[in-house]
Amino acid sequence: MAAESAVFTIADSAFARKLSAYVKLSPADLLVLSDIYRRKRDFAVGHDMIHEGERSHHAYILASGWACSYKILNGGTRQIVDFQVPGDFLGLRSVLFRTADHNVEPITPVQASEVRQQDLLAAFSHTPRISTAVLWTASRDEAMVVEHLVNLGRRNAAERTGHFLLELAARLRLVGMGDKKGFACPLSQYHLSDALGLSAVRVNRVLRLLREEGMLTFHKGQVVFKNYDALVAFTGFDRTYLDHDGPLLP
Amino acid sequence: MAAESAVFTIADSAFARKLSAYVKLSPADLLVLSDIYRRKRDFAVGHDMIHEGERSHHAYILASGWACSYKILNGGTRQIVDFQVPGDFLGLRSVLFRTADHNVEPITPVQASEVRQQDLLAAFSHTPRISTAVLWTASRDEAMVVEHLVNLGRRNAAERTGHFLLELAARLRLVGMGDKKGFACPLSQYHLSDALGLSAVRVNRVLRLLREEGMLTFHKGQVVFKNYDALVAFTGFDRTYLDHDGPLLP
DNA sequence: GCATGATACTGATGGAGATCAGCCCTGTGC
DNA sequence: GCACAGGGCTGATCTCCATCAGTATCATGC
């Protein structure tokens, strides 16, 4: 009874939907997942979910809300590495390495499932499919970080900003939170600047430029693509790094 | 007999040494690995090992030589994402996603073991420890890419260059190819510039600066740290992201 | 009703690094 | 012996973006 409702919950979640795209999960696999997935926790804005250096023993799966992972440098500047949206795994590295090498902060109020280290490792040992599926999501996350790297290294401020918003839109579409017209975006221009390696002033000017060029607007928590194709051409966005070819394991 | 010698070979390799640091591997695990590991291939400079867009069915484990993974942008500029040194896994993402999202090019003549997709996935299914160990190496690679991202986003040219060379040194020390004094480095200043998101001219000037400040020299294929501690302080290098706390699985 | 703090926005100035255009050196092939 | 290419190195100029120093707007609490 309880197990059944748990299965229902997990099978319904953004996370299971994402995993299923990678690896076909059996009912037994789903049971294991739902066990991992059980404990929900809430996080308020202003309190980090994970602290760098912390010897952390759990990771999280985001159920609702947005978060971001970041690092702080000597000078006090920060670099946001990635944003997490519902369905995303978060803090996997800090569990595998046992001490966190980055911080994670909620951007909106967040609800997340706490995944305990021992549960996760046990699941890996006993259900290889889950292990492979998680490896897959980790690889996809890495593909995104790689694209951010290219973004910072070789694109100018305008291309970089546009590219980033296009990626965000593509990710959100996968979990049904947006379309080619745009998406709801709780980020401030400061968030963008920390993610893009720019100053907030420049982000503001770039957004004005993109608006004046008729490509997109960023206003009141809404990103609207005014000319999607032009923006794709301008930024050189190629979404193949986000995609895959369907389930690898039958 | 053959199996034994194979076990010997694999147990001796930089790759198995790295995996063992993460997860204790049984003789049976080593046998599976050595089977994956059997086919050696040579690659000459000037011919990519992996091409972006290619529907690739194998990955490689680097036995000797250096390689780099990179992406080419519209304008023809390129961004090197990472360098691979002996013991590194390479092309894992392209196997998991079935089509490569980046290129890999040898920097020196390379010898590498070819890992076929089906062998790898079979190993994951039947020997969960290997799966976990590979997840671990993948996470470590991601940690490095993340640090490169921070490097590009928030450090200036000199800090960035110094930080990068310190990281390289730390990685090479793990496989016995250098120490705190320095290491043999086959990279050209062009390689550095493509990795650091700088122009070759700037890399040259930054290297001069670091030399004049008595921190390091980069000359004739040798990186020599003249003042390691000063360089660490100057660049804000903190090597914890490369380390881990010993075997996770008993 | 007013202070306070986020966030958005703007003009002026300066600086880090790109770009352009070269030179020098060394190894390699013919 | 010479041509040629790749890598290292340098000065001059320009540009993109950071920084500084603000103003404007809106929600929040007291």
Side-chain angles (χ1 to χ4, degrees), chain B:
Chain B
M1 214 23 234
E4 251 174 62
S5 88
V7 169
F8 182 75
T9 308
I10 181 77
D12 232 34
S13 70
F15 180 62
R17 245 187 296 151
K18 259 181 53 183
L19 281 198
S20 304
Y22 301 142
V23 174
K24 275 229 161 56
L25 296 170
S26 69
D29 293 334
L30 286 175
L31 252 180
V32 173
L33 266 192
S34 66
D35 196 48
I36 290 179
Y37 200 74
R38 216 170 18 197
R39 316 133 132 274
K40 288 261 159 93
R41 280 184 60 180
D42 288 295
F43 296 89
V45 178
H47 300 273
D48 282 6
M49 303 170 67
I50 295 176
H51 307 263
E52 184 170 347
E54 169 186 62
R55 298 184 67 81
S56 133
H57 293 281
H58 19 258
Y60 300 96
I61 296 164
L62 208 55
S64 70
W66 289 42
C68 69
S69 47
Y70 66 96
K71 286 195 173 195
I72 299 283
L73 303 217
N74 284 341
T77 57
R78 83 166 176 173
Q79 176 66 44
I80 291 180
V81 173
D82 201 4
F83 296 103
Q84 278 79 40
V85 299
D88 286 349
F89 214 112
L90 165 174
L92 176 62
R93 277 211 317 284
S94 65
V95 160
L96 289 176
F97 290 150
R98 277 190 275 186
T99 105
D101 67 346
H102 61 279
N103 307 279
V104 177
E105 156 188 298
I107 288 170
T108 68
V110 153
Q111 199 182 37
S113 299
E114 185 179 294
V115 179
R116 289 182 305 170
Q117 187 195 50
Q118 63 223 66
D119 292 348
L120 191 67
L121 291 176
F124 287 168
S125 296
H126 302 128
T127 47
R129 295 173 107 66
I130 290 181
S131 182
T132 303
V134 170
L135 176 59
W136 206 331
T137 63
S139 293
R140 185 171 174 274
D141 287 349
E142 188 182 339
M144 287 195 296
V145 176
V146 165
E147 198 58 36
H148 295 169
L149 183 83
V150 173
N151 226 6
L152 291 194
R154 292 294 180 204
R155 277 191 262 260
N156 67 29
E159 295 164 356
R160 203 185 295 180
T161 306
H163 191 280
F164 187 79
L165 292 174
L166 282 173
E167 177 190 291
L168 220 38
R171 288 172 64 185
L172 288 166
R173 257 185 281 158
L174 282 186
V175 288
M177 293 175 70
D179 52 36
K180 281 208 173 185
K181 297 246 188 288
F183 58 95
C185 177
L187 304 179
S188 71
Q189 296 184 357
Y190 290 92
H191 284 126
L192 281 186
S193 72
D194 281 346
L196 297 170
L198 298 169
S199 66
V201 174
R202 181 116 313 255
V203 167
N204 184 279
R205 285 175 179 146
V206 161
L207 289 175
R208 179 177 59 183
L209 181 100
L210 292 173
R211 174 166 21 92
E212 285 170 358
E213 295 291 325
M215 307 239 221
L216 66 82
T217 62
F218 180 98
H219 189 60
K220 296 249 180 208
Q222 283 289 331
V223 172
V224 180
F225 298 119
K226 295 294 188 185
N227 188 341
Y228 190 86
D229 294 338
L231 189 60
V232 166
F234 172 67
T235 61
F237 181 65
D238 172 1
R239 59 165 296 161
T240 52
Y241 70 96
L242 293 170
D243 294 321
H244 50 79
D245 291 343
L248 192 80
L249 294 178

Side-chain angles (χ1 to χ4, degrees), chain A residues 187-190 201 204-205 208 211 218:
Chain A
L187 305 178
S188 71
Q189 296 183 0
Y190 291 92
V201 174
N204 185 279
R205 284 176 178 144
R208 179 177 60 181
R211 174 167 19 94
F218 180 99

Side-chain angles (χ1 to χ4, degrees), chain A residues 41-170:
Chain A
R41 280 184 59 181
D42 287 294
F43 296 89
V45 178
H47 301 272
D48 282 7
M49 303 170 66
I50 296 176
H51 306 263
E52 184 170 349
E54 167 186 61
R55 299 183 65 82
S56 135
H57 291 282
H58 19 256
Y60 301 96
I61 297 164
L62 247 188
S64 70
W66 288 42
C68 69
S69 47
Y70 66 95
K71 285 195 174 195
I72 300 282
L73 303 217
N74 282 342
T77 57
R78 82 166 176 173
Q79 176 66 45
I80 291 179
V81 172
D82 201 4
F83 295 103
Q84 278 81 39
V85 299
D88 286 349
F89 213 112
L90 166 175
L92 176 61
R93 278 211 315 284
S94 64
V95 161
L96 289 176
F97 291 150
R98 277 191 274 185
T99 104
D101 67 347
H102 61 279
N103 307 278
V104 177
E105 159 189 296
I107 288 171
T108 67
V110 152
Q111 198 182 33
S113 299
E114 185 179 293
V115 179
R116 289 182 305 171
Q117 186 194 50
Q118 63 224 64
D119 292 348
L120 190 66
L121 291 175
F124 286 169
S125 296
H126 302 129
T127 46
R129 296 172 106 65
I130 289 181
S131 182
T132 303
V134 170
L135 176 58
W136 205 330
T137 63
S139 293
R140 185 170 172 274
D141 286 349
E142 188 182 341
M144 286 194 298
V145 176
V146 165
E147 197 60 35
H148 295 169
L149 183 82
V150 173
N151 226 6
L152 291 193
R154 292 296 181 204
R155 277 191 262 262
N156 67 28
E159 294 164 358
R160 204 184 294 179
T161 306
H163 190 281
F164 186 79
L165 293 175
L166 282 173
E167 178 191 291
L168 219 39

